[in-house]
Amino acid sequence: MGPKRDGEASSSSSESSHARRKSSISSPHNPHAPHNPSQLREVYVPSEGSASPDDTMHRRPYTDEQPQASSSTQHRDLDFSADGIQPPPDGASAHANDENVPPEHGRSILEIDLENTVRQRLIDHKDWDRASGCGSENCNHGSLSPRPWTHRSYGSIDSTMSREGFGGRYPGGLGGQHGEGADPTHALLGDTVADGVLGGGSGQKMSTTKYLAKRHGIKNSRTMYLAYYIPIINWSRQYKWRYLKGDFTAALTMASFYIPMALSYASNLGHVPPIHGLYSFAINPMIYAILGSCPLMIVGPEAPGSLLTGEVVRENIKKGTSEDNDGRRNAEIAGLVTSMAGAFILVAGIFRLGFLDNVLSRPFLRGFISAIGIVIFVDQLIPEMGLARLAADQVSHGSCLDKIVFLCRNAGNAHGLTCIVSFTAFAIIMFFREMKKRLQSRYPSVAYIPDRFVVVVLSAVFAWKFEWDKQGLAVLGKVQSSGSLFAIHFPYETSHLKYASEAVNTALIISLLGFFESSVAAKSLGNNQGKKDSIQNMQLSANRELIALGTANIAGGLFMALPAFGGYGRSKVNASTGGTTPMSNILLSLITILSICFLLPYFYFLPKGVLCAMVSVVAYSLIEEAPHDIKFFWRVRGWSELFLMFGIFLTTIFWDLKRGIGVGIGLSILRLIRHSTRPRIQILGRVPGTTDKFTNAELDPANVEFIEGYLIVKIPEPLTFANTGDLKNRLKRLEAHGTGAAHPALPRVRHDEHNQNIIFDVHGVTSLDAAGAQVLSEIVEGYRNREVKVFFCRVPSERSPVWKLFITSGIVDMCGGRSHFVNDVEEALRLTELERLEDEYRDDERV
């Protein structure tokens, strides 16, 4: 027996060295800890007296009567590596101290084996991820590998961010809807002003942002807000010299492509002096780099915005308030349009209307953009064929259809040299465009081929060398400003008010289209987050995009520039040629400024037909995606989307741009209202062979069964003033026909006895406003007046605003109290059956 006791004593001493105190997992003070840990952090502890794995997994419980090992034995048994777990000097295990163990459990029986004890102590301790036992408060040795415990974040320079929490809403400021402020000040002004400017409140008036920042040790919270709203403060501190090469290469490549495009947009679409197109690339990208939230997006003039601006200029020429050759006046009109578009967007950003980019649907955008592509392509054919002077007297202000008829009638009057130069340039650019598209996946360097720049330079050299301008070829001529270079002109002078009536509607359309296109580009490009070598903490925000684009266009309006927004194609070129940070925007602006200052004389012999050919390529790109969308909507039977797309397209082609987009916006808003105001309530049936499974009876009526005496209705969405107006009528149709698909003209086919118990499954009602609560209370009151029993299941918790509205509106009392609010449909069915039996028992007693 002696050796056996020694073995038991040795085993017990080994156990006691690792399991001196009972783990908090078995303690009632830690109710959320798992009773059966997943063993993901299980550690095997070697020791001199370690037993076999089978013995280790089946050790007997250790009691206080058994002998305990000495401190020296504990130190010897827990001799870990430097990165492992080591005991503190007192001889206890890594994180087993008296503060973590309730006094009443200090000398209880330990029922946890050696390995589980170590693991559970690591899990239970609040600093389990610093489990080195080195004694330092700021130890960063992980239990499995070293881990950093500080994080350098924008707005919190060298902030020590705690990693022991899970974030979450401030528990002291609960009571409002999800996302609302902690008090009226935060709800009205937002966390930025209330905390960053006013200093924030305390207690229940403290915002969740301030609570989390304070709890996790984030310093300089005001700088955090400043860096969020002025992103250059964030990304400039992260900028590295190795980014400069890629940004500069991308900016130079884009300049070679888009500086000639800007000249063409201004002269051919905007009907303003060409230099005002360059101003859009000189001013707007620099401001966007300061305020924009998408690092890869490049801001500049776009064909739709330039064309709409040109429409305003032409309207004023038609009315006689300006003339074709009055470049200064036309530039002032364009500056007014640009500034007003920027003002609309800026105001929308201030009032946080960034969600509006979801109003304009994809069919709307595709129909209008495709129509604009056709309009631009037809417009550019006139100067490409040398018919500009003839068209000026006949169809300069006509519709797209009028210009198509004009081209067909006057094709024989086209200028031969102009046609050759224009169509050759178009063919060359299209060839390289298709070649790049096919080869770029295999040979990314083809993106650097400056095909458009080469075409522009060669055509200008040939025009100068062979004197094509004397042979009737129209050239750009002297490119000069309507005043001194970069002259600032206030667009809202009283003398410009006569242009405002034409400008305001178009400016609103330009702002909507520009923001929508920029939003699509930003979402497609992303924020570069997650890439190993890129700017971090650049959070995309639709509201900040509105502010950045609005500020940029207001500044551009001071220089009478064309409207400028983010373009997906241009931004993809930036990303594919090495652009990484917003610095590429700044470098593009600097290159454009240098071009304005030093290269303007060299644009003199640039053929206008070549510029028109470049715009025609852009028009082609606007049209080429339409067949894909049409095929998709046809395949999925999206008839309403196809109707919207073709309606906008035909209205724009046969009427004009403004009416086309007006019709499109009107139809889109009607579709949105119809979609948002239609209740999506469902009638539920039980799945055969089950007692607790219910499904939508509208989807598969042959495989569900209705329950006699019950109407089970599911409301799968929040109830607001918008979608409760027709809720009563929809419920009546379910009561009369058992479905919402039947026409109201059909007489009642569902027997009235099947509507004696109404069960509402309101799991989807995550929010409820006062108007919705009023309608719902009227519905419940109507049922109770008809002696119909009403039950609700899966109502949000009693702390939720939905439940509070149920109580204050009287719905709970009208239903019969809290007992009529249960967890699921099956429980509601059992409760109704119990109440029926109770009613029958009372009736029998009376008899």
Side-chain angles (χ1 to χ4, degrees), residues 248-560:
F248 179 75
T249 304
L252 190 61
T253 305
M254 286 185 296
S256 66
F257 288 166
Y258 293 104
I259 285 180
M261 294 293 297
L263 295 171
S264 184
Y265 286 154
S267 60
N268 296 327
L269 299 181
H271 300 286
V272 296
I275 194 172
H276 294 282
L278 295 180
Y279 286 159
S280 298
F281 266 132
I283 305 300
N284 297 56
M286 186 173 295
I287 295 177
Y288 181 82
I290 298 173
L291 300 174
S293 62
C294 183
L296 296 177
M297 193 161 72
I298 301 297
V299 172
E302 289 288 334
S306 302
L307 181 64
L308 289 169
T309 303
E311 288 290 315
V312 178
V313 174
R314 289 200 296 181
E315 285 293 328
N316 282 279
I317 294 174
K318 185 178 179 179
K319 290 168 57 178
T321 56
S322 183
E323 298 179 1
D324 274 326
N325 56 358
D326 190 352
R328 173 73 178 184
R329 186 64 55 83
N330 294 341
E332 291 175 355
I333 297 173
L336 178 64
V337 173
T338 301
S339 181
M340 293 179 70
F344 282 130
I345 293 181
L346 180 63
V347 171
I350 293 173
F351 287 96
R352 306 178 71 181
L353 303 180
F355 63 89
L356 289 177
D357 68 330
N358 299 318
V359 175
L360 302 181
S361 62
R362 177 72 174 269
F364 166 86
L365 183 68
R366 180 54 55 209
F368 186 70
I369 292 298
S370 299
I372 282 183
I374 295 291
V375 170
I376 292 174
F377 199 89
V378 172
D379 278 350
Q380 299 311 300
L381 279 176
I382 295 176
E384 286 174 7
M385 298 174 64
L387 300 174
R389 292 184 180 179
L390 187 61
D393 300 328
Q394 299 183 23
V395 292
S396 60
H397 305 291
S399 66
C400 181
L401 185 61
D402 295 334
K403 293 176 181 178
I404 293 175
V405 174
F406 168 81
L407 287 171
C408 294
R409 289 179 178 176
N410 296 278
N413 299 324
H415 186 261
L417 179 61
T418 303
C419 289
I420 293 173
V421 173
S422 302
F423 295 144
T424 301
F426 178 81
I428 293 174
I429 296 173
M430 286 297 297
F431 171 78
F432 278 99
R433 182 176 180 272
E434 292 300 317
M435 184 189 72
K436 289 181 178 180
K437 185 184 297 184
R438 297 174 186 272
L439 297 179
Q440 193 166 358
S441 59
R442 296 169 56 190
Y443 307 102
S445 58
V446 299
Y448 294 90
I449 299 176
D451 51 298
R452 301 182 190 185
F453 179 73
V454 172
V455 169
V456 167
V457 171
L458 290 179
S459 63
V461 171
F462 290 159
W464 165 72
K465 182 69 175 178
F466 299 108
E467 297 182 346
W468 285 348
D469 57 320
K470 296 180 181 180
Q471 301 177 35
L473 179 69
V475 296
L476 190 60
K478 188 176 182 180
V479 180
Q480 58 183 4
S481 177
S482 50
S484 59
L485 289 179
F486 297 103
I488 296 178
H489 180 80
F490 185 65
Y492 299 107
E493 292 182 356
T494 54
S495 60
H496 296 166
L497 294 179
K498 56 187 175 183
Y499 313 132
S501 60
E502 295 291 335
V504 62
N505 295 330
T506 304
L508 180 59
I509 295 171
I510 290 173
S511 61
L512 285 174
L513 282 179
F515 170 62
F516 189 87
E517 185 175 1
S518 301
S519 178
V520 170
K523 291 176 182 178
S524 301
L525 294 165
N527 56 5
N528 233 10
Q529 197 81 9
K531 292 187 178 180
K532 188 173 183 180
D533 193 16
S534 62
I535 300 298
Q536 302 298 314
N537 298 318
M538 290 282 285
Q539 306 295 331
L540 287 177
S541 168
N543 294 318
R544 286 187 296 143
E545 286 294 295
L546 284 169
I547 292 176
L549 294 170
T551 305
N553 280 285
I554 289 176
L558 296 176
F559 296 91
M560 297 170 285

Side-chain angles (χ1 to χ4, degrees), residues 1-19:
M1 297 295 292
K4 188 173 181 179
R5 284 193 203 97
D6 293 339
E8 290 177 356
S10 175
S11 175
S12 299
S13 66
S14 177
E15 288 182 78
S16 65
S17 65
H18 306 296

Side-chain angles (χ1 to χ4, degrees), residues 230-251:
I230 307 179
I232 193 174
I233 298 176
N234 174 30
W235 67 259
S236 61
R237 295 187 309 190
Q238 303 180 49
Y239 198 81
K240 302 173 184 177
W241 281 109
R242 64 173 177 268
Y243 297 157
L244 185 61
K245 179 182 177 181
D247 291 336
F248 179 75
T249 304

Side-chain angles (χ1 to χ4, degrees), residues 721-732:
F721 71 95
N723 62 358
T724 52
D726 196 41
L727 186 58
K728 292 181 181 179
N729 293 331
R730 299 276 295 177
L731 284 172
K732 288 179 180 178

Side-chain angles (χ1 to χ4, degrees), residues 46 67 121 222 240 255 292 318 440 443 497 557 623 662 700 756 789:
R121 285 173 180 169
R222 296 190 178 186
K240 302 173 184 177
K318 185 178 179 179
Q440 193 166 358
Y443 307 102
L497 294 179
I623 303 169
D700 195 8
Q756 293 305 306
K789 295 181 179 180

